[in-house]
Amino acid sequence: MLEKFKLRWEIQENWQLLFPILGLSGLGYSAWKLAVRLTNAYSIIFTIATAVLLLFILLKLTLYIFKKLEHKWILDYKWEMIRVFIVFAVTGSSSLFVGRPIMKLIGITKENLNPILYWVLFIIIGLIFYQILLVMFGWLFGQFKFFWEFEKKMLNRFGLGKWIN
């Protein structure tokens, strides 16, 4: 069964199994957190059952997205798609953790600013740090080339491509 899995994901070395394990762990954690939020007034058995159902749904959704992006993204091996998804997940979460303290540091809070303006600024600051962190985490996970090309396309769409070419 493991050999079939390795063949399907084009895994040549055992260390590459780390990425499917990390990916499944992340999906499991997400399913558990969602289940706890959805079932906080119910029994633990119901929460576990909901988490298993959500894990199944998230896994199916992820595999569907993999299939759709498999031919669009230029990667050497299928297992690298898992690594790319992990980088996107870590980057998205990290940009929020970086953005909040930066806003507090410059003195921007929900209490001293119009809520709509606060959230617009939060999104802009989050996007700025997202761009930086995406390339950084891409490099850390061995996918710098992929994310640098992705970043250039994204900046071109924002009309900022002339600054990096």
Side-chain angles (χ1 to χ4, degrees):
M1 187 167 121
L2 183 61
E3 289 305 316
K4 188 177 175 184
F5 179 83
K6 288 169 86 173
L7 185 65
R8 178 176 183 219
W9 287 97
E10 300 173 347
I11 294 174
Q12 293 85 28
E13 304 288 331
N14 285 337
W15 68 266
Q16 295 165 344
L17 286 168
L18 173 69
F19 296 105
I21 291 168
L22 283 174
L24 285 171
S25 299
L27 280 178
Y29 179 74
S30 298
W32 175 253
K33 292 299 275 186
L34 284 170
V36 167
R37 288 234 173 186
L38 293 172
T39 64
N40 61 356
Y42 299 100
S43 72
I44 189 72
I45 303 295
F46 186 67
T47 303
I48 292 170
T50 304
V52 169
L53 176 65
L54 287 171
L55 175 61
F56 178 77
I57 291 168
L58 288 173
L59 184 59
K60 285 292 188 183
L61 177 65
T62 303
L63 292 174
Y64 173 77
I65 294 169
F66 277 6
K67 250 195 194 332
K68 291 292 182 186
L69 294 173
E70 185 175 14
H71 303 290
K72 186 175 181 178
W73 288 351
I74 310 296
L75 296 165
D76 295 330
Y77 304 104
K78 286 183 182 180
W79 66 267
E80 289 180 310
M81 289 191 67
I82 300 168
R83 190 162 58 172
V84 167
F85 268 57
I86 291 170
V87 169
F88 279 123
V90 170
T91 303
S93 301
S94 299
S95 66
L96 290 176
F97 288 121
V98 170
R100 283 191 181 118
I102 295 293
M103 289 191 57
K104 283 183 183 176
L105 186 69
I106 26 181
I108 299 173
T109 64
K110 292 178 196 173
E111 290 78 31
N112 67 5
L113 196 63
N114 178 314
I116 294 171
L117 187 55
Y118 172 85
W119 286 109
V120 168
L121 286 172
F122 184 75
I123 290 168
I124 291 170
I125 289 171
L127 274 173
I128 291 168
F129 283 102
Y130 183 84
Q131 308 309 312
I132 296 165
L133 291 170
L134 188 63
V135 175
M136 186 183 83
F137 283 122
W139 175 75
L140 285 173
F141 278 83
Q143 289 295 121
F144 177 80
K145 183 180 175 190
F146 175 86
F147 283 102
W148 182 242
E149 293 303 317
F150 188 87
E151 190 64 35
K152 287 195 286 189
K153 285 181 195 174
M154 192 181 305
L155 290 174
N156 279 330
R157 288 184 190 133
F158 289 148
L160 302 171
K162 60 186 173 246
W163 291 1
I164 57 167
N165 290 330

